Amino acid sequence: EAGVAQSPRYKIIEKRQSVAFWCNPISGHATLYWYQQILGQGPKLLIQFQNNGVVDDSQLPKDRFSAERLKGVDSTLKIQPAKLEDSAVYLCASSLSTDSPLHFGNGTRLTVT
Amino acid sequence: AQSVTQLDSQVPVFEEAPVELRCNYSSSVSVYLFWYVQYPNQGLQLLLKYLSGSTLVKGINGFEAEFNKSQTSFHLRKPSVHISDTAEYFCAVTPNTGFQKLVFGTGTRLLVSP
């Protein structure tokens, strides 16, 4: 089966600019997650979707981060405006359900200068 | 809430030597435990998981881990490492109500040299 697809792989922007990341989960996977992995740290959950509804966004900085999952398939994560501390790898993961293991994409590495 | 501690940020080892990567967790409820591996510029790949039953769990690539409830540990072991095992290893925990709400440790970088 095809894995979780993410794009772009790398992005460099200046602070205060906006950026968007895209994720295409494994076909049939109802649950989708976005994680932020800062250098030297483990991944931290930003938001979880079940189909096209948000299940958990308690750790999403909602003043600058937004995410959507239109039609319950692809998802986009947006940052506007970006700050230096947003430099990280953004990982998307999907699973059949909340009772199934997560499958991770290769991530998008964001550098904010 | 759950938390994970990986005490070793980096573990250097020679090829064909055994290795143990340590993981301790904290939780007020029963948990599921996981080990993930991350190769450079790639996402996380599941090595193994403990859900219930036997405390010794075998995973891919010859890795195994042992769940110790009294010591709240889930150490990862491999009897003989290869150069290709060089990667970052993450321990993770979640309440045993599902696979969501994964909490990761800070990772251990395994460096295998010839």
Side-chain angles (χ1 to χ4, degrees), chain A residues 38-103:
Chain A
I38 293 173
L39 186 65
Q41 300 181 20
K44 183 186 80 171
L45 178 66
L46 290 176
I47 189 167
Q48 176 191 345
F49 291 93
Q50 183 68 22
N51 295 310
N52 61 351
V54 175
V55 174
D56 182 358
D57 64 356
S58 57
Q59 299 192 82
L60 187 73
K62 298 181 187 62
D63 58 333
R64 298 184 300 106
F65 286 65
S66 65
E68 60 183 9
R69 191 182 183 196
L70 299 176
K71 302 180 181 178
V73 181
D74 294 3
S75 178
T76 56
L77 176 69
K78 297 178 181 177
I79 308 175
Q80 181 180 9
K83 293 185 175 181
L84 295 176
E85 59 261 36
D86 298 331
S87 294
V89 175
Y90 291 85
L91 294 165
C92 179
S94 70
S95 63
L96 275 172
S97 70
T98 56
D99 293 330
S100 305
L102 278 62
H103 298 259

Side-chain angles (χ1 to χ4, degrees), chain B residues 7-77:
Chain B
L7 292 170
D8 306 306
S9 60
Q10 188 167 291
V11 173
V13 64
F14 288 109
E15 193 175 20
E16 297 182 8
V19 71
E20 178 180 83
L21 306 184
R22 297 181 294 169
C23 171
N24 289 88
Y25 70 93
S26 173
S27 177
S28 57
V29 301
S30 295
V31 296
Y32 293 156
L33 292 156
F34 306 81
W35 275 99
Y36 283 86
V37 61
Q38 186 175 36
Y39 299 102
N41 298 314
Q42 293 187 25
L44 281 74
Q45 180 183 3
L46 181 64
L47 272 179
L48 49 79
K49 61 184 183 292
Y50 171 78
L51 305 183
S52 65
S54 173
T55 57
L56 184 62
V57 180
K58 293 189 183 298
I60 62 172
N61 300 342
F63 284 93
E64 64 181 31
E66 186 157 18
F67 171 56
N68 188 317
K69 188 174 182 179
S70 62
Q71 297 186 3
T72 60
S73 67
F74 190 55
H75 301 331
L76 181 70
R77 303 186 184 100

